[in-house]
Amino acid sequence: MIYKNILEQTLNNSNFREVVLTNNHSQLVMMSLLPGEEIGLETHHDIDQILYFVSGQGKAIIAGEEGGFSMGDVVNVPAGAEHNVINTGQEAVKLLTVYSPPEHPDGTVHKTKAEADQAEAEHHH
C-alpha cells in the first residue's frame, strides 16, 4: 500500500500520537509535541526506534547523552536505551517514528499526552 504525501500528513497532524501503519515487524507513527511538551523518559527493552523530525526543534536525551535536533534530523534509539524527546521551541514539533517491532495497537490515536499516559498506565501502550 502506498501512503501519499506522508510529509504533509505529518505537518498537519495535531494528535500527540497517531499510528499510520503497522506491519508484522515495524510500525510508522506520527507525533506532535506542543511547545514545552515532551514524550517522557521511557525505555523500550525489545524495540528499536528511529525518529525523523519534520518540523520544530528540541532536545533528545538518549542513554544519558543530550543533543539538539531540528527539522530534517534523525535520532536513533536502540532497544534498551532510556530516552526522551523535549520540544524546546515556540512551535509544535512534528515527527515520524518507526518502531521495530510495533509498539502500539494498530489504529491507535492519542489526541493528547495525557490520553497517551492514561493508555500506557492501563494497557502498556
PDB file of all heavy atoms in Angstrom, residues 26-46:
ATOM      1  N   SER A  26       7.354  -3.920  12.004  1.00  0.00           N
ATOM      2  CA  SER A  26       7.618  -2.485  12.110  1.00  0.00           C
ATOM      3  C   SER A  26       6.309  -1.706  12.154  1.00  0.00           C
ATOM      4  O   SER A  26       5.248  -2.224  11.821  1.00  0.00           O
ATOM      5  CB  SER A  26       8.473  -1.999  10.929  1.00  0.00           C
ATOM      6  OG  SER A  26       7.791  -2.206   9.714  1.00  0.00           O
ATOM      7  N   GLN A  27       6.440  -0.452  12.562  1.00  0.00           N
ATOM      8  CA  GLN A  27       5.263   0.410  12.687  1.00  0.00           C
ATOM      9  C   GLN A  27       5.677   1.854  12.456  1.00  0.00           C
ATOM     10  O   GLN A  27       6.722   2.298  12.952  1.00  0.00           O
ATOM     11  CB  GLN A  27       4.691   0.252  14.099  1.00  0.00           C
ATOM     12  CG  GLN A  27       3.432   1.059  14.360  1.00  0.00           C
ATOM     13  CD  GLN A  27       2.852   0.699  15.712  1.00  0.00           C
ATOM     14  OE1 GLN A  27       3.470   0.959  16.735  1.00  0.00           O
ATOM     15  NE2 GLN A  27       1.687   0.089  15.699  1.00  0.00           N
ATOM     16  N   LEU A  28       4.849   2.609  11.718  1.00  0.00           N
ATOM     17  CA  LEU A  28       5.077   4.031  11.464  1.00  0.00           C
ATOM     18  C   LEU A  28       4.038   4.839  12.230  1.00  0.00           C
ATOM     19  O   LEU A  28       2.837   4.573  12.132  1.00  0.00           O
ATOM     20  CB  LEU A  28       4.971   4.325   9.962  1.00  0.00           C
ATOM     21  CG  LEU A  28       5.214   5.778   9.546  1.00  0.00           C
ATOM     22  CD1 LEU A  28       6.654   6.195   9.855  1.00  0.00           C
ATOM     23  CD2 LEU A  28       4.905   5.959   8.068  1.00  0.00           C
ATOM     24  N   VAL A  29       4.533   5.839  12.988  1.00  0.00           N
ATOM     25  CA  VAL A  29       3.678   6.647  13.854  1.00  0.00           C
ATOM     26  C   VAL A  29       4.000   8.120  13.641  1.00  0.00           C
ATOM     27  O   VAL A  29       5.171   8.497  13.582  1.00  0.00           O
ATOM     28  CB  VAL A  29       3.899   6.267  15.340  1.00  0.00           C
ATOM     29  CG1 VAL A  29       3.088   7.157  16.267  1.00  0.00           C
ATOM     30  CG2 VAL A  29       3.572   4.798  15.569  1.00  0.00           C
ATOM     31  N   MET A  30       2.955   8.959  13.543  1.00  0.00           N
ATOM     32  CA  MET A  30       3.116  10.413  13.525  1.00  0.00           C
ATOM     33  C   MET A  30       2.946  10.926  14.948  1.00  0.00           C
ATOM     34  O   MET A  30       2.108  10.412  15.692  1.00  0.00           O
ATOM     35  CB  MET A  30       2.032  11.080  12.671  1.00  0.00           C
ATOM     36  CG  MET A  30       2.090  10.794  11.217  1.00  0.00           C
ATOM     37  SD  MET A  30       0.854  11.760  10.271  1.00  0.00           S
ATOM     38  CE  MET A  30      -0.694  11.084  10.879  1.00  0.00           C
ATOM     39  N   MET A  31       3.722  11.962  15.298  1.00  0.00           N
ATOM     40  CA  MET A  31       3.578  12.589  16.607  1.00  0.00           C
ATOM     41  C   MET A  31       3.640  14.103  16.469  1.00  0.00           C
ATOM     42  O   MET A  31       4.252  14.625  15.536  1.00  0.00           O
ATOM     43  CB  MET A  31       4.671  12.111  17.569  1.00  0.00           C
ATOM     44  CG  MET A  31       4.592  10.640  17.905  1.00  0.00           C
ATOM     45  SD  MET A  31       5.729  10.167  19.226  1.00  0.00           S
ATOM     46  CE  MET A  31       4.864  10.853  20.649  1.00  0.00           C
ATOM     47  N   SER A  32       3.019  14.774  17.433  1.00  0.00           N
ATOM     48  CA  SER A  32       3.072  16.227  17.520  1.00  0.00           C
ATOM     49  C   SER A  32       3.262  16.600  18.981  1.00  0.00           C
ATOM     50  O   SER A  32       2.466  16.211  19.840  1.00  0.00           O
ATOM     51  CB  SER A  32       1.774  16.837  16.987  1.00  0.00           C
ATOM     52  OG  SER A  32       1.805  18.241  17.096  1.00  0.00           O
ATOM     53  N   LEU A  33       4.353  17.329  19.260  1.00  0.00           N
ATOM     54  CA  LEU A  33       4.654  17.781  20.619  1.00  0.00           C
ATOM     55  C   LEU A  33       4.490  19.295  20.680  1.00  0.00           C
ATOM     56  O   LEU A  33       5.158  20.029  19.948  1.00  0.00           O
ATOM     57  CB  LEU A  33       6.086  17.424  21.011  1.00  0.00           C
ATOM     58  CG  LEU A  33       6.478  15.956  20.989  1.00  0.00           C
ATOM     59  CD1 LEU A  33       7.973  15.815  21.290  1.00  0.00           C
ATOM     60  CD2 LEU A  33       5.660  15.170  21.977  1.00  0.00           C
ATOM     61  N   LEU A  34       3.629  19.759  21.554  1.00  0.00           N
ATOM     62  CA  LEU A  34       3.411  21.187  21.726  1.00  0.00           C
ATOM     63  C   LEU A  34       4.641  21.843  22.350  1.00  0.00           C
ATOM     64  O   LEU A  34       5.474  21.155  22.959  1.00  0.00           O
ATOM     65  CB  LEU A  34       2.187  21.417  22.603  1.00  0.00           C
ATOM     66  CG  LEU A  34       0.866  20.883  22.041  1.00  0.00           C
ATOM     67  CD1 LEU A  34      -0.247  21.007  23.082  1.00  0.00           C
ATOM     68  CD2 LEU A  34       0.510  21.595  20.757  1.00  0.00           C
ATOM     69  N   PRO A  35       4.796  23.162  22.225  1.00  0.00           N
ATOM     70  CA  PRO A  35       5.931  23.839  22.874  1.00  0.00           C
ATOM     71  C   PRO A  35       5.995  23.480  24.359  1.00  0.00           C
ATOM     72  O   PRO A  35       4.981  23.509  25.059  1.00  0.00           O
ATOM     73  CB  PRO A  35       5.606  25.320  22.667  1.00  0.00           C
ATOM     74  CG  PRO A  35       4.819  25.346  21.400  1.00  0.00           C
ATOM     75  CD  PRO A  35       3.962  24.094  21.460  1.00  0.00           C
ATOM     76  N   GLY A  36       7.182  23.079  24.798  1.00  0.00           N
ATOM     77  CA  GLY A  36       7.390  22.684  26.188  1.00  0.00           C
ATOM     78  C   GLY A  36       7.004  21.246  26.503  1.00  0.00           C
ATOM     79  O   GLY A  36       7.303  20.749  27.580  1.00  0.00           O
ATOM     80  N   GLU A  37       6.352  20.570  25.581  1.00  0.00           N
ATOM     81  CA  GLU A  37       5.900  19.196  25.812  1.00  0.00           C
ATOM     82  C   GLU A  37       7.033  18.209  25.544  1.00  0.00           C
ATOM     83  O   GLU A  37       7.948  18.483  24.773  1.00  0.00           O
ATOM     84  CB  GLU A  37       4.709  18.896  24.900  1.00  0.00           C
ATOM     85  CG  GLU A  37       3.922  17.661  25.260  1.00  0.00           C
ATOM     86  CD  GLU A  37       2.606  17.587  24.518  1.00  0.00           C
ATOM     87  OE1 GLU A  37       2.596  17.819  23.286  1.00  0.00           O
ATOM     88  OE2 GLU A  37       1.592  17.289  25.162  1.00  0.00           O
ATOM     89  N   GLU A  38       6.949  17.056  26.170  1.00  0.00           N
ATOM     90  CA  GLU A  38       7.938  16.013  25.958  1.00  0.00           C
ATOM     91  C   GLU A  38       7.259  14.657  25.863  1.00  0.00           C
ATOM     92  O   GLU A  38       6.119  14.491  26.307  1.00  0.00           O
ATOM     93  CB  GLU A  38       8.975  16.011  27.070  1.00  0.00           C
ATOM     94  CG  GLU A  38       8.421  15.735  28.453  1.00  0.00           C
ATOM     95  CD  GLU A  38       9.478  15.871  29.532  1.00  0.00           C
ATOM     96  OE1 GLU A  38       9.819  17.009  29.881  1.00  0.00           O
ATOM     97  OE2 GLU A  38       9.936  14.820  30.006  1.00  0.00           O
ATOM     98  N   ILE A  39       7.966  13.713  25.279  1.00  0.00           N
ATOM     99  CA  ILE A  39       7.444  12.351  25.215  1.00  0.00           C
ATOM    100  C   ILE A  39       7.449  11.752  26.613  1.00  0.00           C
ATOM    101  O   ILE A  39       6.534  11.044  26.994  1.00  0.00           O
ATOM    102  CB  ILE A  39       8.273  11.494  24.232  1.00  0.00           C
ATOM    103  CG1 ILE A  39       7.993  11.961  22.790  1.00  0.00           C
ATOM    104  CG2 ILE A  39       7.965  10.016  24.386  1.00  0.00           C
ATOM    105  CD1 ILE A  39       8.850  11.302  21.732  1.00  0.00           C
ATOM    106  N   GLY A  40       8.467  12.046  27.380  1.00  0.00           N
ATOM    107  CA  GLY A  40       8.608  11.484  28.720  1.00  0.00           C
ATOM    108  C   GLY A  40       9.678  10.405  28.712  1.00  0.00           C
ATOM    109  O   GLY A  40       9.805   9.647  27.750  1.00  0.00           O
ATOM    110  N   LEU A  41      10.440  10.342  29.773  1.00  0.00           N
ATOM    111  CA  LEU A  41      11.529   9.379  29.883  1.00  0.00           C
ATOM    112  C   LEU A  41      10.953   7.964  29.816  1.00  0.00           C
ATOM    113  O   LEU A  41      10.062   7.613  30.590  1.00  0.00           O
ATOM    114  CB  LEU A  41      12.275   9.608  31.194  1.00  0.00           C
ATOM    115  CG  LEU A  41      13.672   9.054  31.315  1.00  0.00           C
ATOM    116  CD1 LEU A  41      14.579   9.611  30.218  1.00  0.00           C
ATOM    117  CD2 LEU A  41      14.242   9.382  32.676  1.00  0.00           C
ATOM    118  N   GLU A  42      11.469   7.162  28.882  1.00  0.00           N
ATOM    119  CA  GLU A  42      10.971   5.799  28.705  1.00  0.00           C
ATOM    120  C   GLU A  42      12.071   4.908  28.151  1.00  0.00           C
ATOM    121  O   GLU A  42      13.077   5.396  27.632  1.00  0.00           O
ATOM    122  CB  GLU A  42       9.758   5.775  27.769  1.00  0.00           C
ATOM    123  CG  GLU A  42      10.038   6.293  26.368  1.00  0.00           C
ATOM    124  CD  GLU A  42       8.807   6.349  25.479  1.00  0.00           C
ATOM    125  OE1 GLU A  42       7.681   6.097  25.959  1.00  0.00           O
ATOM    126  OE2 GLU A  42       8.974   6.644  24.294  1.00  0.00           O
ATOM    127  N   THR A  43      11.842   3.605  28.259  1.00  0.00           N
ATOM    128  CA  THR A  43      12.756   2.603  27.716  1.00  0.00           C
ATOM    129  C   THR A  43      11.924   1.516  27.051  1.00  0.00           C
ATOM    130  O   THR A  43      11.002   0.981  27.667  1.00  0.00           O
ATOM    131  CB  THR A  43      13.619   1.971  28.827  1.00  0.00           C
ATOM    132  OG1 THR A  43      14.307   2.991  29.530  1.00  0.00           O
ATOM    133  CG2 THR A  43      14.616   0.982  28.248  1.00  0.00           C
ATOM    134  N   HIS A  44      12.234   1.200  25.806  1.00  0.00           N
ATOM    135  CA  HIS A  44      11.622   0.070  25.103  1.00  0.00           C
ATOM    136  C   HIS A  44      12.675  -1.039  25.084  1.00  0.00           C
ATOM    137  O   HIS A  44      13.639  -0.960  24.323  1.00  0.00           O
ATOM    138  CB  HIS A  44      11.234   0.444  23.673  1.00  0.00           C
ATOM    139  CG  HIS A  44      10.359   1.650  23.575  1.00  0.00           C
ATOM    140  ND1 HIS A  44       9.097   1.697  24.098  1.00  0.00           N
ATOM    141  CD2 HIS A  44      10.576   2.858  23.018  1.00  0.00           C
ATOM    142  CE1 HIS A  44       8.562   2.882  23.863  1.00  0.00           C
ATOM    143  NE2 HIS A  44       9.447   3.616  23.209  1.00  0.00           N
ATOM    144  N   HIS A  45      12.493  -2.044  25.911  1.00  0.00           N
ATOM    145  CA  HIS A  45      13.541  -3.052  26.102  1.00  0.00           C
ATOM    146  C   HIS A  45      13.809  -3.902  24.863  1.00  0.00           C
ATOM    147  O   HIS A  45      14.952  -4.300  24.630  1.00  0.00           O
ATOM    148  CB  HIS A  45      13.210  -3.921  27.308  1.00  0.00           C
ATOM    149  CG  HIS A  45      13.248  -3.135  28.578  1.00  0.00           C
ATOM    150  ND1 HIS A  45      14.421  -2.752  29.184  1.00  0.00           N
ATOM    151  CD2 HIS A  45      12.254  -2.603  29.326  1.00  0.00           C
ATOM    152  CE1 HIS A  45      14.159  -2.034  30.265  1.00  0.00           C
ATOM    153  NE2 HIS A  45      12.845  -1.925  30.371  1.00  0.00           N
ATOM    154  N   ASP A  46      12.782  -4.181  24.063  1.00  0.00           N
ATOM    155  CA  ASP A  46      12.953  -5.056  22.898  1.00  0.00           C
ATOM    156  C   ASP A  46      12.562  -4.374  21.586  1.00  0.00           C
ATOM    157  O   ASP A  46      12.266  -5.044  20.604  1.00  0.00           O
ATOM    158  CB  ASP A  46      12.104  -6.323  23.074  1.00  0.00           C
ATOM    159  CG  ASP A  46      12.531  -7.131  24.287  1.00  0.00           C
ATOM    160  OD1 ASP A  46      13.755  -7.258  24.505  1.00  0.00           O
ATOM    161  OD2 ASP A  46      11.660  -7.623  25.022  1.00  0.00           O
TER     162      ASP A  46
END
